Amino acid sequence: MKKTFLTNCKNLALGAIVSLVTFASCSSDDNTGSTSSFELNREDLRGVITDGEVVLNSGTYKLTGKLEVRSGATLTVEPGVIIEATDVTTQQQEIRYIAVGQGGKINVKGTATNPVVMTATTKNPGAWGGLVLCGKAPINKGQTGTAEVSELTYGGTDANDNSGSIKYLRLEYTGYSYSTDKEFNGLSLFGVGKGTTIEYVQAYEGSDDGFEWFGGTVDSRYLVVINNNVDNKKVGDDLFDWTEGWVGTGENWYGKRTNNGNRGIEADNNQTNSSLTPISNPTLRNITLVGNNAGDENQAVKMRFGTNGNLDNVVLANWGTGFDIQHDASIAFVNAGSLKATNVRFINVGTKVKGSNTAGTAVDINKMITENASAVGAGSGVDQPEWAKGWTVGF
């Protein structure tokens, strides 16, 4: 890169041979460890990675458009790297986001003391797209589908598909909106398989969902969503969301909103046909959801359209409604004893459990919960868990 060359190579007057050697060493800084034909530019990170491995090894990279990782290629991000999405100033410019297609991989190698940060130049919710993973695991939308925010194919028959490993990543100011029906999340997981690692990830001040699963089998541990922005036009949607047959495990989730955003968890099987398989049926353990007891959708957990699920060790604080279970198919899972929440602690929650059938008639589903006043949720009740200290922000 000319900029790196002019900044770091100060001995050009030493002669032609020295100049050539210096140029070779300085211009390769951004590509250290890379084995791809992709041309990496620290000040203009965008394009399609089609082969080999591209390594982002230090400092800040300016995301100036779409960065897509295709089948057979890998994007590796070393500890402490910052990826900063620049502003979209005209309608003709590409939306800034990172997408990993089927067969591609991303390896985010942050640490508790040196996380990877994907952020934006403008520190406001909705400033850029976020991170999208598309895998080959089963979904119930069909054998495959097209991701709504990247146009990539997702879904398939490989429950153990591997899209890479993400550890200690902070996603800030995501949620760019194409329209009211088409918005990016912080981390979107489309048909992602169980071979993928998702651990220690925070979605901070996004304008749509923090995390959303569209089918798939991936497990997700140590997740944090924090939304504090007070501009009601930019408040977040749901903290966590799943649909289309997600059947993974979630452990140690902490979500908090101090603004009038939406629910703690919104969960569906399939809004078009609630009986489609695989049925959404995650197992969740050690969950804390903190609201502000305000907003139009003041529910800690809303489960509907045929989702199943098993939750244990849950702390819900400052919500109008704790569990709101809707539609005949999900109510049937409650009655069968499979949709349930055990060891639940309610703190300042108006209505603990509310049920309604597809016709909208109230149904008594109090049997779905068992309470435990000693439940600690994500680890420390409503307070910041020990595992979230050092790499998260906004608590």
Side-chain angles (χ1 to χ4, degrees):
M1 292 173 56
K2 292 182 178 179
K3 182 172 182 180
T4 305
F5 175 69
L6 293 174
T7 301
N8 298 328
C9 300
K10 301 179 180 179
N11 300 313
L12 299 179
L14 295 180
I17 296 177
V18 175
S19 295
L20 288 172
V21 173
T22 306
F23 177 81
S25 63
C26 291
S27 64
S28 64
D29 283 351
D30 284 341
N31 291 294
T32 301
S34 295
T35 60
S36 174
S37 61
F38 180 80
E39 295 185 10
L40 180 60
N41 186 334
R42 184 182 291 273
E43 299 298 321
D44 187 19
L45 180 61
R46 60 189 170 104
V48 180
I49 304 172
T50 60
D51 62 273
E53 180 183 29
V54 171
V55 181
L56 309 186
N57 53 43
S58 64
T60 299
Y61 293 78
K62 297 297 182 67
L63 184 67
T64 56
K66 173 187 73 174
L67 181 64
E68 181 182 329
V69 184
R70 290 190 178 169
S71 181
T74 299
L75 174 65
T76 295
V77 190
E78 297 289 346
V81 165
I82 297 172
I83 299 174
E84 183 181 280
T86 59
D87 294 338
V88 177
T89 57
T90 69
Q91 290 184 342
Q92 288 72 37
Q93 287 186 323
E94 280 190 312
I95 308 307
R96 285 76 163 119
Y97 66 93
I98 299 173
V100 180
Q102 290 184 317
K105 286 186 172 62
I106 184 169
N107 291 320
V108 176
K109 301 169 68 175
T111 68
T113 57
N114 208 14
V116 170
V117 180
M118 298 181 181
T119 187
T121 301
T122 297
K123 309 302 183 186
N124 284 321
W128 70 292
L131 179 58
V132 178
L133 271 59
C134 293
K136 300 178 183 179
I139 61 174
N140 65 26
K141 190 176 183 178
Q143 183 161 328
T144 62
T146 301
E148 63 182 22
V149 291
S150 66
E151 307 303 322
L152 294 175
T153 298
Y154 70 101
T157 59
D158 186 358
N160 294 313
D161 187 41
N162 184 354
S163 296
S165 174
I166 299 175
K167 292 186 177 182
Y168 291 105
L169 168 66
R170 193 164 71 239
L171 293 153
E172 301 178 343
Y173 310 110
T174 59
Y176 184 90
S177 175
Y178 290 99
S179 66
T180 55
D181 298 320
K182 188 176 181 180
E183 296 176 298
F184 284 91
N185 304 299
L187 178 59
S188 299
L189 300 161
F190 289 91
V192 177
K194 198 170 285 290
T196 309
T197 298
I198 307 289
E199 295 181 351
Y200 301 100
V201 185
Q202 179 181 16
Y204 175 69
E205 295 290 34
S207 63
D208 200 52
D209 301 327
F211 297 86
E212 184 163 5
W213 293 259
F214 297 83
T217 55
V218 65
D219 300 327
S220 308
R221 301 179 178 90
Y222 304 105
L223 306 185
V224 176
V225 186
I226 302 287
N227 288 334
N228 297 322
N229 190 280
V230 296
D231 185 345
N232 283 333
K233 295 181 180 179
K234 297 179 179 178
V235 299
D237 194 4
D238 308 303
L239 304 179
F240 303 93
D241 194 333
W242 70 75
T243 186
E244 295 183 16
W246 178 48
V247 294
T249 297
E251 295 182 278
N252 296 294
W253 291 3
Y254 183 101
K256 180 173 72 172
R257 65 167 179 82
T258 61
N259 55 28
N260 290 349
N262 288 355
R263 307 169 183 100
I265 290 175
E266 179 180 278
D268 305 325
N269 182 48
N270 186 294
Q271 293 191 30
T272 302
N273 183 344
S274 62
S275 65
L276 292 176
T277 59
I279 298 290
S280 294
N281 189 19
T283 298
L284 306 184
R285 307 182 188 95
N286 311 331
I287 310 298
T288 293
L289 301 172
V290 182
N292 72 339
N293 233 326
D296 294 335
E297 296 177 328
N298 188 11
Q299 301 146 316
V301 180
K302 184 172 184 175
M303 304 178 76
R304 59 187 185 179
F305 294 113
T307 188
N308 202 347
N310 188 335
L311 295 80
D312 182 60
N313 186 23
V314 180
V315 172
L316 306 179
N318 306 328
W319 299 96
T321 302
F323 292 90
D324 188 351
I325 313 301
Q326 301 180 358
H327 302 115
D328 292 346
S330 289
I331 296 295
F333 288 130
V334 173
N335 290 333
S338 57
L339 175 50
K340 60 184 178 180
T342 53
N343 295 305
V344 181
R345 180 183 176 191
F346 295 98
I347 303 171
N348 192 27
V349 174
T351 300
K352 293 179 180 180
V353 182
K354 177 182 178 182
S356 57
N357 60 24
T358 301
T361 304
V363 178
D364 183 357
I365 57 166
N366 283 286
K367 63 183 178 182
M368 77 160 287
I369 63 166
T370 58
E371 295 188 49
N372 181 352
S374 300
V376 296
S380 300
V382 299
D383 297 325
Q384 182 179 18
E386 286 297 319
W387 55 260
K389 292 181 178 179
W391 59 279
T392 61
V393 294
F395 277 90

